[in-house]
Amino acid sequence: MPNQILIIGAGQAAAQAVDVLRRKGYAGALTIVGDEPLLPYQRPPLSKKYLSGALARDRLPIRHQSFYDEHRVEVRLGRRATTLDPVARRVTLDDGSMLSYDALLLATGSTPRRLATPGSALTGIYYLRTMEDTDRLRAEVRPGARVVVVGGGYIGLEVAATCRELGVEVTVLEMADRVMNRVVCEPVSRYYEAEHLKHGVRIVLGARMQEFSGDARGRVGAVRCADGSEHTADFAVVGVGVLAEDALARRAGLACDNGIVVDEYCRTSDPAVWAIGDCTNHPSLRYGYRVRLESVDNAFEQAGTAALDILGTPVPHDKVPWFWSDQYHHKLLIVGLSQGHDRYLLRGDPTTHTFSAAYLRNGELIAIDTVNNAKDQMAARKLVAARVHPDPAKLADASIALRDCLPG
């Protein structure tokens, strides 16, 4: 049993790891280091309810200070880990202080992919990762203002929906031929495109952004595309994906490949170091290939896996992943990973605003997208995990409950 556990990173994964460690009886020294001056907090609301003002700042923390005091957790906020020495089992922080550990848990998360296009250093261009990012963006959001959102993925569309509901004129530039093209099938993409258009959002597909142009104050004034089109902007938001925050691990010589490489117990290439959450590249036992997932659910589950392994009770991480996105009053919930599917079937009619898309590979249900369809998504969690082979005719009939779509 380690005497000192050190956690680098202060997000959902770190907070959950602390909770599991203490609930399972760990009584040793426990320290969290976070680069923000804030206790671990929820990040999904940053592009939605917190941006809109519907969720107050004091509702974001996952746990309040009293929890960390009660559970004897030292929390070092506003400090960045700069060096990891696996031989000495010591981490150096940006203020020069050094922290020793018997077990180290890396929960460093991810960072937004930055654009290197001309004009990208102009003021008025925003990326969303932290509460401070959203606070600065909120100062721009006002009725009649014009925003160009670069990227039609989850973050871009959530920001677009929130801004539009607050009266901002919104243009979304998406390089692909449909929004959310990497994660959902075409009918789901087209449904969300139609909903955004209905709310007055302008969506430009096949848009190859070329540069941000600015005014005399050095502030963004427009976004130019390769086809010569120009889109006026009072401010811009960029949501073109994220990168694993694995620099500390790389410098220390830990195995990294699109994230910190871990096994099904969240163990890294160093026996005293574990990694969890968005920063990890881990094996999916369910799907048979390695993945890097950006989701609260994955962070939550891996935190439990790593905590138990550190305490000597290994349980492999083998949960079917799920993801969600709230845009306007529509909830998209994805169960499983559709990568490699050879067929999908629609359940229900998108014009009713309640439908699903079920993905099959060699007849096996591997994933499902649900739009405002709680019944399907709850059943899908069990069926995808069970590797069932549903009857396609039943599966395509939305009047038949998903759980009743098995043959026979």
Side-chain angles (χ1 to χ4, degrees):
M1 184 75 70
N3 292 318
Q4 300 180 83
I5 298 177
L6 174 60
I7 303 175
I8 303 298
Q12 177 75 52
Q16 181 63 17
V18 166
D19 182 70
V20 174
L21 286 167
R22 287 307 193 211
R23 278 195 291 108
K24 295 299 181 180
Y26 178 69
L30 190 51
T31 303
I32 290 179
V33 176
D35 60 2
E36 294 181 69
L38 300 166
L39 292 171
Y41 61 87
Q42 306 170 67
R43 294 190 189 273
L46 296 182
S47 58
K48 300 181 282 285
K49 288 188 175 182
Y50 184 66
L51 176 58
S52 72
L55 189 68
R57 188 184 184 91
D58 61 6
R59 296 276 305 280
L60 285 182
I62 297 165
R63 300 283 191 174
H64 292 284
Q65 185 62 52
S66 57
F67 170 84
Y68 300 98
D69 294 340
E70 177 185 348
H71 290 83
R72 295 173 291 106
V73 180
E74 181 184 359
V75 182
R76 297 205 178 189
L77 300 176
R79 295 269 68 93
R80 184 171 53 85
T82 57
T83 305
L84 163 60
D85 184 342
V87 177
R89 294 191 178 181
R90 184 171 59 223
V91 172
T92 302
L93 306 186
D94 57 359
D95 62 355
S97 61
M98 297 182 182
L99 299 174
S100 298
Y101 63 85
D102 298 309
L104 174 64
L105 191 51
L106 297 175
T108 47
S110 58
T111 187
R113 188 186 299 274
R114 302 268 168 173
L115 294 178
T117 53
S120 58
L122 293 168
T123 59
I125 301 171
Y126 298 92
Y127 296 80
L128 286 190
R129 178 182 178 268
T130 68
M131 195 186 304
E132 181 183 1
D133 292 336
T134 301
D135 288 340
R136 293 188 299 110
L137 176 58
R138 284 173 70 177
E140 304 272 13
V141 176
R142 61 188 184 280
R146 297 162 297 183
V147 62
V148 172
V149 178
V150 181
Y154 289 147
I155 294 298
L157 294 183
E158 288 170 0
V159 168
T162 302
C163 285
R164 191 69 199 105
E165 289 179 318
L166 296 174
V168 178
E169 298 298 320
V170 180
T171 298
V172 174
L173 304 180
E174 168 55 48
M175 187 169 63
D177 61 355
R178 56 187 178 88
V179 301
M180 298 189 291
N181 70 304
R182 292 189 303 112
V183 293
V184 299
C185 61
E186 184 166 355
V188 178
S189 290
R190 301 308 180 198
Y191 175 80
Y192 276 91
E193 288 169 11
E195 288 302 302
H196 279 277
L197 293 173
K198 187 186 301 181
H199 283 82
V201 174
R202 181 168 172 256
I203 297 178
V204 182
L205 300 172
R208 296 190 174 274
M209 189 208 143
Q210 192 169 53
E211 68 172 322
F212 295 103
S213 61
D215 57 22
R217 300 171 298 165
R219 183 178 174 82
V220 67
V223 180
R224 292 197 181 109
C225 293
D227 63 0
S229 62
E230 183 170 292
H231 308 277
T232 303
D234 297 308
F235 62 101
V237 178
V238 180
V240 291
V242 299
L243 302 172
E245 190 60 81
D246 59 4
L248 182 69
R250 285 181 180 277
R251 290 195 297 268
L254 299 183
C256 293
D257 180 11
N258 184 29
I260 304 169
V261 175
V262 299
D263 65 11
E264 64 268 34
Y265 301 99
C266 299
R267 302 165 183 160
T268 72
S269 56
D270 184 285
V273 183
W274 287 254
I276 55 178
D278 290 13
C279 66
T280 66
N281 178 328
H282 68 273
S284 169
L285 302 182
R286 165 64 180 81
Y287 291 98
Y289 51 81
R290 300 191 70 87
V291 295
R292 189 176 69 78
L293 303 178
E294 301 147 16
S295 77
V296 169
D297 171 65
N298 183 63
F300 184 93
E301 296 291 350
Q302 282 194 312
T305 295
L308 291 174
D309 196 60
I310 290 171
L311 298 180
T313 54
V315 178
H317 173 54
D318 189 25
K319 297 291 177 66
V320 173
W322 61 278
F323 317 83
W324 81 92
S325 177
D326 293 326
Q327 299 171 40
Y328 307 109
H329 58 283
H330 303 296
K331 180 172 286 292
L332 169 64
L333 203 148
I334 299 172
V335 177
L337 302 174
S338 61
Q339 178 182 332
H341 73 274
D342 53 34
R343 184 183 185 186
Y344 69 82
L345 296 170
L346 282 188
R347 288 176 49 78
D349 183 352
T351 62
T352 68
H353 305 292
T354 300
F355 69 102
S356 302
Y359 298 86
L360 304 173
R361 182 172 61 208
N362 297 324
E364 179 186 321
L365 181 66
I366 61 170
I368 188 165
D369 304 336
T370 66
V371 178
N372 306 319
N373 195 341
K375 289 183 179 180
D376 270 11
Q377 65 95 355
M378 290 300 292
R381 296 193 195 188
K382 295 180 180 179
L383 296 178
V384 172
R387 308 186 74 127
V388 301
H389 287 66
D391 181 324
K394 292 180 179 179
L395 189 61
D397 187 346
S399 68
I400 300 175
L402 185 59
R403 66 178 181 273
D404 295 330
C405 289
L406 301 185

